[in-house]
Amino acid sequence: MKIGNWQLRIPAVLALALGPGVAGCVKPPAVPWRAAKKALVWPLPPDPPRIRYEGSITAGQALRYAKSTSFAWLDFLVGSPEVRLQTPHGISVDATTLAVADSGAATIQMLHLVARRYRVIEDAGRTRLLCPIGAAPDGAGGVFLSDSVLARVFHFSAAGRLDGEIRGEFVRPTGLAYDAARRVLHVVDTGSHSVSSFQEQGGSWSLLRKLGQRGEGQGPVFNFPTHAALDRDGNLYVADSLNFRVRIFSPDGSLAGMFGRAGDGTGDFSKAKGIAVDSEGHIYVVDSQYDVVQIFSREGRFLLSFGGSGRDEGSLWLPTGIFIDGQDRIYVSDSGNSRIQVYQYLREQRESVGE
């Protein structure tokens, strides 16, 4: 039977199409990124290094790392458009899963780090994704995903299945941050200049609070906020992009601080986007105008920047999202170069950045 023949030929077709690294003839790489060819650190010697470049992740490199793919790759083999990282944006990383929201390809791509399985997801149930932007880990291998054009926020399980939807009156949801200890998902809505926090109880989500309106003052006001991050204490950090600031909120929603200004100097912001916090409380802010990641103290004091414009190793071109995992490994969406750049914060060499 033709169907039987097709099934029997799948392994051979996969081996030819995906290469020996995936088919099993050659041992897959130990990590999902292509290792750096040369040593790159920031700052330069003789100062002690604070940030080290590790390598880059592309769809091809992820496939070489993975031992298997989802059945979506069979569509690719029989004539569907090539699946690749096109315009990576939001990044979600936990102990088992690395997920990337690709706004250009309108997909979320999930690399299961333990099972070594690579999934490319185009749909949320019966709804075709249009512009996935934000991603956040759920603490169990799954991922929350925002789609700014659909104005919806979805939850995918570790197996890549649609596991629910967080319903709200969104205009243009973008950045996401999930507090697993409090079971609270924070959703940045760029279109409504606000941040909505939803709490999960008994499998359902309800609105806990909504912060913000358009403004430039000292309170919980925003001007096109884009991304958010949490520290280990549950404090929320929001990139208030067109106010050129970072606003910090305590777990109860009260404003705990803010810093930043517009400009083209060290520590200034032009197009602040992705934001993340490392294990020692340093705040990382991506600036897509300057193609750098700037690091600040909790009080907003500039400490260091890394990256820089270009297509070479360690460089960035129109970066957007950022995520820092439990090992202080830094993942940056290098959107203009269609890759994820990976760096390491060298916490073991000193007590704090810039000291």
Side-chain angles (χ1 to χ4, degrees), residues 37-331:
K37 296 179 180 178
K38 58 182 179 180
L40 289 174
V41 296
W42 292 265
L44 296 174
D47 293 323
R50 292 357 185 197
I51 302 294
R52 181 182 66 225
Y53 178 62
E54 297 288 284
S56 64
I57 301 173
T58 62
Q61 183 64 20
L63 274 174
R64 283 186 284 274
Y65 176 83
K67 293 180 179 177
S68 62
T69 67
S70 69
F71 286 107
W73 280 100
L74 298 183
D75 296 331
F76 159 66
L77 293 175
V78 298
S80 294
E82 180 182 1
V83 177
R84 61 186 178 90
L85 278 179
Q86 185 171 325
T87 313
H89 203 116
I91 307 173
S92 165
V93 186
D94 63 16
T96 63
T97 307
L98 186 155
V100 179
D102 191 330
S103 58
T107 61
I108 179 169
Q109 305 191 27
M110 297 179 68
L111 177 61
H112 298 272
L113 302 173
V114 178
R116 290 194 175 229
R117 176 174 296 165
Y118 189 37
R119 299 180 183 274
V120 180
I121 301 169
E122 298 179 333
D123 305 291
R126 297 183 179 180
T127 302
R128 181 71 170 86
L129 297 175
L130 296 179
C131 190
I133 293 291
D138 69 357
V143 60
F144 297 98
L145 177 75
S146 67
D147 190 304
S148 64
V149 172
L150 292 175
R152 297 168 70 178
V153 177
F154 304 103
H155 179 217
F156 290 90
S157 70
R161 294 188 296 268
L162 181 65
D163 199 34
E165 181 174 350
I166 293 80
R167 299 185 181 277
E169 296 180 356
F170 304 123
V171 178
R172 187 185 168 199
T174 49
L176 302 174
Y178 180 59
D179 186 339
R182 297 172 177 82
R183 304 187 70 83
V184 173
L185 178 68
H186 304 281
V187 181
V188 177
D189 192 332
T190 302
S192 67
H193 312 280
S194 66
V195 177
S196 294
S197 300
F198 297 85
Q199 189 163 46
E200 188 269 333
Q201 291 182 333
S204 62
W205 295 86
S206 59
L207 181 65
L208 180 64
R209 72 177 66 90
K210 184 174 182 178
L211 298 173
Q213 58 184 348
R214 193 170 189 180
E216 301 177 357
Q218 301 293 315
V221 293
F222 302 102
N223 191 17
F224 293 97
T226 54
H227 296 76
L230 291 160
D231 65 18
R232 292 188 171 185
D233 296 323
N235 296 302
L236 179 68
Y237 301 75
V238 180
D240 188 6
S241 297
L242 291 192
N243 275 331
F244 310 101
R245 290 174 178 168
V246 170
R247 296 184 188 266
I248 307 170
F249 298 90
S250 63
D252 65 6
S254 59
L255 184 66
M258 63 182 184
F259 65 88
R261 63 173 183 254
D264 57 5
T266 298
D268 295 341
F269 297 138
S270 179
K271 290 185 178 179
K273 291 198 173 182
I275 188 167
V277 184
D278 69 21
S279 65
E280 295 179 348
H282 307 116
I283 305 163
Y284 297 63
V285 183
V286 174
D287 197 304
S288 63
Q289 177 68 34
Y290 302 138
D291 302 314
V292 297
V293 179
Q294 300 191 95
I295 308 176
F296 300 86
S297 70
R298 175 64 166 74
E299 297 72 31
R301 178 170 60 92
F302 172 79
L303 301 174
L304 178 68
S305 66
F306 63 93
S309 301
R311 301 187 182 278
D312 297 331
E313 289 192 332
S315 299
L316 301 167
W317 192 258
L318 299 176
T320 50
I322 185 173
F323 191 92
I324 300 178
D325 68 14
Q327 301 178 46
D328 279 336
R329 192 171 290 123
I330 307 156
Y331 302 80

